Amino acid sequence: MSRIEAVASNPVASRVFQPVTRDWERASALLRILGESVLIVGLMLLLSRWLNPADPFGIHAQYPWIWLGPTILAMRYGTIDGALAAALLLGAWLLPAPYGMTGGPVEPEFPQEYFLGGLVMALIAGQFADVWNNRLSRIKAANAYLDERLVSLTRTHYLIRLSHQRLEQELLVRPVMLSDLLTELRPNTPVDAGRLAKADILLRMLASSCEIESGAIYAMTDGQMETHPTAFVGEELPLELNDPLIEMALDSGRFMHVRATDASLYRSQYLVAGPVRASSGEIIGVMVVRSMPFFALNDENLQFIVVLLGYYADGVMRSQAIRTIQLLRPSVPPDFALELVRMKRLYDQAGIDSSLVAMTFGRGGNGQAIFDLVRRVRRTTDIAWELETPSRHVLLLLLPMSGQAAVDGMLQRIESTVRQNFNQTFAEAAIVVHTTGMTPAEPEWVLDDVLNRCGVNQQIVLSTGRA
């Protein structure tokens, strides 16, 4: 590499020498134009003197052909170059004999109109060139900008196309969302089974949604991991109990994968390993993944696995999961309490918020009719608990994976329905609404706070316990 190329390749040197480079290029262009002007005018003068030595300037000719040189230069480069060429012709006229172009020893009278007309013709041609050169420069600048925009848009379109292809692949391999998976898993989870019942359904859901090609779930019996899988997908292979990834997962109590910092130092034949843990802390099984696509081994898929396994584990260990809630509020329906525990765990593990909405209705007037209407129009995905107090009807709704925006939308829809049927707003119908989201507090205290705000204390025995 030459020294010039080395300087040009250095970004700091490029910024320093860029003004100098531009000045040098401008000076080179001016020298080139000056040399071209002298050369063309000189050739025109020599040719004219050779053709007509007595009248090389063509003063007495029908047309002064020698002025084609300045005119052509003016049309090519502009007014200044045309004036320069005219000055060169004037200088050739003023040269003394025998170097001058007068053609004889007697100096003729200076042809003012001849040079004035030639100069005007050159200036007009130069002005024409200046106007169109400026227009051409603007057009070139606009085209350069459009070309740059086109390249940028082409690159952006290409990236968007790649992104859409990736999204299509994601939708093909994961056709359902987390809410759909949990809704599908809820009826397929045996309640209080105490073991990994229907684990094959859970594993098939994980395989389809998280692209697991080969994996298995092993039960834990008396703190020992069984070697025969309770459920598996792909090829059934013998379990390696001494695998470092499994040992690290059991010791830490959390999911481990080969890309984790702690596990990357060890050689394991598995990609993912983690416990199936209930909210009570009891480990009822271990899941291992032996094969899955490289791009599927990401935090989102691992979070899916953790959430679904925790949701399943709380179902098969329901009595332990809801024990603290039932100790504080014995009248809570088990299904409502279980879903509350699951949503609190989903909030802790994945940061997905859920909402608890309590609505109280008066007993007088249209209170009972409005209460029955709201019970019918609630969303099918929500978990409801109906209570009765001596003075009011109470309806608790648990909205899984629904934030404040979903709560506001639901309340607006219900109020619109009430207004259409009874021509009353919530305030006119004496409907009081209390809402809360998941908080770092335990789920039993979140539920107890909402019930206390509704005036439902632990001594009231009119609770229907219906869910």
Side-chain angles (χ1 to χ4, degrees), residues 108-184:
E109 183 181 357
F110 180 74
Q112 297 181 0
E113 295 182 358
Y114 170 82
F115 279 99
L116 180 60
L119 179 62
V120 169
M121 181 176 62
L123 293 179
I124 292 175
Q127 182 65 26
F128 176 84
D130 289 339
V131 170
W132 283 100
N133 284 335
N134 290 334
R135 293 183 181 180
L136 187 61
S137 298
R138 289 196 297 268
I139 292 174
K140 288 182 178 179
N143 288 337
Y145 172 75
L146 293 177
D147 289 341
E148 183 180 354
R149 289 291 300 163
L150 180 61
V151 172
S152 177
L153 290 175
T154 303
R155 186 182 298 111
T156 304
H157 181 268
Y158 177 71
L159 294 176
I160 292 175
R161 184 167 64 86
L162 291 180
S163 177
H164 284 180
Q165 290 178 354
R166 183 65 184 271
L167 287 176
E168 289 177 357
Q169 294 175 359
E170 290 289 333
L171 291 175
L172 288 176
V173 299
R174 183 177 296 164
V176 292
M177 301 299 290
L178 179 60
S179 57
D180 301 325
L181 290 173
L182 297 183
T183 303
E184 182 182 354

Side-chain angles (χ1 to χ4, degrees), residues 60-308:
H60 303 291
Q62 293 183 357
Y63 180 79
W65 294 100
I66 198 171
W67 282 98
L68 284 178
T71 304
I72 293 174
L73 289 172
M75 293 187 66
R76 176 173 173 81
Y77 297 112
T79 305
I80 296 178
D81 301 286
L84 175 62
L88 292 175
L89 286 180
L90 179 61
W93 174 272
L94 296 177
L95 284 175
Y99 305 103
M101 303 297 294
T102 58
V106 180
E107 184 175 349
E109 183 181 357
F110 180 74
Q112 297 181 0
E113 295 182 358
Y114 170 82
F115 279 99
L116 180 60
L119 179 62
V120 169
M121 181 176 62
L123 293 179
I124 292 175
Q127 182 65 26
F128 176 84
D130 289 339
V131 170
W132 283 100
N133 284 335
N134 290 334
R135 293 183 181 180
L136 187 61
S137 298
R138 289 196 297 268
I139 292 174
K140 288 182 178 179
N143 288 337
Y145 172 75
L146 293 177
D147 289 341
E148 183 180 354
R149 289 291 300 163
L150 180 61
V151 172
S152 177
L153 290 175
T154 303
R155 186 182 298 111
T156 304
H157 181 268
Y158 177 71
L159 294 176
I160 292 175
R161 184 167 64 86
L162 291 180
S163 177
H164 284 180
Q165 290 178 354
R166 183 65 184 271
L167 287 176
E168 289 177 357
Q169 294 175 359
E170 290 289 333
L171 291 175
L172 288 176
V173 299
R174 183 177 296 164
V176 292
M177 301 299 290
L178 179 60
S179 57
D180 301 325
L181 290 173
L182 297 183
T183 303
E184 182 182 354
L185 182 60
R186 187 183 302 156
N188 292 315
T189 303
V191 177
D192 280 337
R195 52 186 178 84
L196 297 176
K198 294 186 178 181
D200 55 336
I201 298 177
L202 169 65
L203 193 56
R204 285 198 299 269
M205 293 174 61
L206 288 172
S208 62
S209 60
C210 300
E211 304 182 59
I212 297 176
E213 297 173 349
S214 176
I217 297 179
Y218 297 87
M220 293 287 290
T221 304
D222 298 329
Q224 298 296 324
M225 187 175 174
E226 296 183 0
T227 57
H228 184 72
T230 304
F232 67 92
V233 292
E235 183 180 0
E236 181 181 3
L237 297 174
L239 176 67
E240 295 292 338
L241 289 174
N242 297 325
D243 188 90
L245 198 65
I246 295 179
E247 293 178 350
M248 294 178 66
L250 292 177
D251 292 340
S252 62
R254 57 189 178 91
F255 262 75
M256 301 296 297
H257 57 90
V258 293
R259 294 172 57 185
T261 304
D262 298 338
S264 60
L265 302 177
Y266 302 94
R267 298 181 62 87
S268 173
Q269 61 176 324
Y270 302 109
L271 298 179
V272 181
V276 183
R277 181 192 295 271
S279 296
S280 60
E282 182 179 353
I283 297 177
I284 62 175
V286 176
M287 179 180 178
V288 295
V289 176
R290 188 184 298 271
S291 175
M292 64 189 307
F294 174 78
F295 289 105
L297 187 59
N298 52 55
D299 294 336
E300 183 182 357
N301 270 343
L302 294 177
Q303 193 176 69
F304 258 68
I305 296 174
V306 172
V307 168
L308 288 176

